[in-house]
Amino acid sequence: MNLAWADAACFLPEIVVIATAAIGLMLERPLRRVQSDVGSWIALAGLALAGVVTLRFSPSGDALGGIFVRDAFTSTFELAAIGVGTLATLLGSSFLRAVDYRRTEFFPILLLTITGVMIAAGARDFLLLFVGLEILALGGATLLGFFTPNEKSREALMKSFITSGIATAFLLLGFAFVFGVTGSTHYDEVATRVAAHAGTGHPFLELGFGLVVVSLLVRIMAFPFNMYAADALQGAPGPAAGAFSVATVLGGFAALFRIFEEAGAASCNVEWSILLGIAAGSTMVLSSLYATYQDNVKRMLSYATLAHVGFLLAGFAVAYSPKLSAAQSEAVLSAVVFYLLGFVFLQAGAFAIISAVFFGRRFGEYLAEFRGLGRRCPVAGLAYVAIFLSLAGFPPTFVFLAKVQILGAALQAEMFVLTAAAIVGSLIGAFYHLRVLVVMYFRENPHAPGVIPSVPLVTAMTLVTVGVVGIGIFPEKALQTAIESVRVLF
Amino acid sequence: MIPATHVLVLASALFFLSLTGLLIRRNVLVMLLCIELMLGSVALVFVALAEVHGGLRGQVVGLFVLAIAVAQIGIGLAMLMLLYRRRGELNPTSWERLKDW
């Protein structure tokens, strides 16, 4: 196996992002003295370049002897990761300026985190998948604990770090079981051996894939492995929480897609649709219920994140129901990818709102502190309205389209309990988001809090609003991307 | 020549010992050590299986696991410094600022 230029060309977006991170780290010391936003500008330039490279210059094909593949699926997830990176860079630059915490290494760590997503999306070998997920987990945990003066941020770091460490150990144990049975770590070879055991099954194979799936459920923060998630997202600084939640969900789902479709986990003798359906249903209902109890908007939005994850996982579970034909499961999976693309915007928007109210020492988190925000900062209000409409399922928003498709498929698969859980979860979701919206628009605040409509924050909120509404009105392009990216897996 | 089964038994004993340690000890440093031990035992499993299947793939995975474990402990120790400086103790149950439900 020789490293050739063709391999490097396949990795070009990753190389650009990592190089940008390296430049950012080298310039961190000098930049800290001069108090400027150059760090975020470097990151934005690198991300823009990576986006252009992904869209235009990077060839499809295998790299490094087939352990990494660049196809439509990889490119979609890479673009989503680059989108998260861009929005989180804007939010982060606004955050660092507000709290006067001049540590520009936030941006390189962010870039390395999304590199983990990009690698995990293209990995076709357990070894590379492990490396990608681990870069993602370590970078993500560092982001959560980035604002070290704040004790809650440290607590978020500790909780997510210990949990992800345990998850990594079980992921590797799962890989070891699969490797022990099949003698390979490459998806194609694993799938061939799995197919040979298809009729009778093999206990170690099922145990191995089970451990891998459990560990990925920890990554995507699904019940019952999400006890750390709400704490971690609440304690972390807003931009870091947004970036971490999207990155870890994107990486986890990319790994799930490839392991199920390409490594043959789907053809194991396991009722995946029931196991994943239970996880999905309880994630949706429990997180929605928890969210309604919160006075703290940040914690409420953390639980809202988990409710999204539950819906995404429900789509994934439905796709592996034996009652659906291959074409139908392909359609559901592309709805899941479509939902994931929207999830990027929703999360960035939600955590942008959290970074909008600032009291000089700390950011506003409690419901009462958001009174009147919609009128004093119209961009924030609009962004939240866009998020609310897509969550509540109003037709011109894309989440509605994805949800309708997932629910329709769930009915076809005769998974009625899951469908009911999804509908109940969505209704509760509409309720607690409406509560915040009412406070933002119809309650006056006697002592007006400091709103910081800084340029990067306003840009991020505008991008979110335009993205949510734009994809909702013109969904063809994004739908097409989602369908094409799932098609290469089948 | 030690048979692969012996190594696998050793590795699984090590894995479950460290899992037990992780669950019963209430000290972040010891918990971190247990996680590293779990990773080490899985690396051992891969090396033993490489012997069974032939080829170098399992050993390569083992090396990667060790490298990643080093990166993990690097960040973990930095985290321990941050936690210890503020409180002077490492009991994870004392960190419950975020623990309302």
Side-chain angles (χ1 to χ4, degrees), chain A residues 165-184:
Chain A
I166 301 168
T168 303
F170 279 97
L171 182 77
L172 276 175
L173 193 64
F175 288 166
F177 276 118
V178 177
F179 177 67
V181 177
T182 62
S184 177

Side-chain angles (χ1 to χ4, degrees), chain A residues 98-363:
Chain A
V99 296
D100 199 26
Y101 189 59
R102 303 280 165 190
R103 297 288 178 90
T104 47
E105 66 261 40
F106 179 83
F107 306 110
I109 298 173
L110 175 68
L111 292 177
L112 291 175
T113 309
I114 68 162
T115 314
V117 181
M118 295 160 89
I119 294 175
R124 296 199 69 220
D125 189 291
F126 287 143
L127 179 56
L128 193 65
L129 176 66
F130 163 62
V131 173
L133 286 178
E134 199 55 16
I135 294 174
L136 168 58
L138 292 180
T142 318
L143 272 186
L144 291 179
F146 182 76
F147 191 38
T148 50
N150 185 334
E151 198 162 334
K152 288 183 180 172
S153 184
R154 300 180 187 198
E155 191 179 330
L157 167 63
M158 181 188 76
K159 289 187 169 167
S160 68
F161 190 84
I162 298 282
T163 321
S164 87
I166 301 168
T168 303
F170 279 97
L171 182 77
L172 276 175
L173 193 64
F175 288 166
F177 276 118
V178 177
F179 177 67
V181 177
T182 62
S184 177
T185 55
H186 191 277
Y187 287 1
D188 288 342
E189 294 164 28
V190 170
T192 321
R193 308 285 161 78
V194 172
H197 288 291
T200 53
H202 191 296
F204 282 146
L205 206 54
E206 282 136 26
L207 182 61
F209 276 123
L211 286 170
V212 171
V213 169
V214 162
S215 161
L216 291 174
L217 290 186
V218 178
R219 296 264 184 259
I220 63 171
M221 308 184 284
F223 185 83
F225 312 104
N226 59 2
M227 53 288 179
Y228 77 103
D231 284 356
L233 296 183
Q234 184 201 344
F244 171 80
S245 59
V246 183
T248 188
V249 168
L250 281 177
F253 267 103
L256 276 177
F257 272 97
R258 284 214 189 265
I259 285 180
F260 269 72
E261 285 305 326
E262 295 189 332
S267 50
C268 266
N269 263 1
V270 182
E271 287 280 355
W272 291 117
S273 63
I274 294 180
L275 293 179
L276 293 175
I278 291 171
S282 32
T283 311
M284 272 185 289
V285 174
L286 290 179
S287 347
S288 303
L289 284 178
Y290 282 144
T292 48
Y293 275 94
Q294 306 303 327
D295 285 334
N296 186 321
V297 178
K298 201 172 180 186
R299 195 170 178 83
M300 188 211 88
L301 288 173
S302 310
Y303 278 119
T305 309
L306 304 184
H308 278 303
V309 168
F311 215 107
L312 287 162
L313 192 63
F316 196 78
V318 167
Y320 292 102
S321 159
K323 293 203 177 73
L324 288 193
S325 67
Q328 280 170 322
S329 4
E330 194 184 322
V332 185
L333 287 178
S334 44
V336 173
V337 173
F338 185 62
Y339 196 149
L340 274 171
L341 294 178
F343 180 71
V344 172
F345 288 105
L346 292 183
Q347 283 303 105
F351 285 94
I353 310 278
I354 289 299
S355 322
V357 185
F358 188 59
F359 292 101
R361 294 286 302 273
R362 63 179 197 92
F363 282 88

Side-chain angles (χ1 to χ4, degrees), chain A residues 134 151 154 180 294 299, chain B residues 53 68 82 87 98 100-101:
Chain A
E134 199 55 16
E151 198 162 334
R154 300 180 187 198
Q294 306 303 327
R299 195 170 178 83
Chain B
H53 289 297
I68 297 272
L82 280 173
R87 289 283 176 90
L98 300 168
D100 48 352
W101 60 303

Side-chain angles (χ1 to χ4, degrees), chain A residues 429-466:
Chain A
F431 162 70
Y432 58 73
H433 279 100
L434 187 63
R435 207 173 54 157
V436 179
L437 205 61
V438 167
V439 168
M440 278 172 78
Y441 273 99
F442 301 110
R443 296 272 186 282
E444 266 315 318
N445 196 344
H447 25 266
V451 180
I452 42 153
S454 65
V455 179
L457 192 65
V458 171
T459 317
M461 286 174 173
T462 317
L463 281 177
V464 167
T465 317
V466 170

Side-chain angles (χ1 to χ4, degrees), chain B residues 72-94:
Chain B
Q72 202 176 24
I73 205 77
I75 292 179
L77 288 177
M79 176 188 79
L80 285 180
M81 290 294 294
L82 280 173
L83 294 176
Y84 189 77
R85 251 193 236 155
R86 183 63 67 93
R87 289 283 176 90
E89 60 163 342
L90 286 172
N91 186 349
T93 49
S94 72

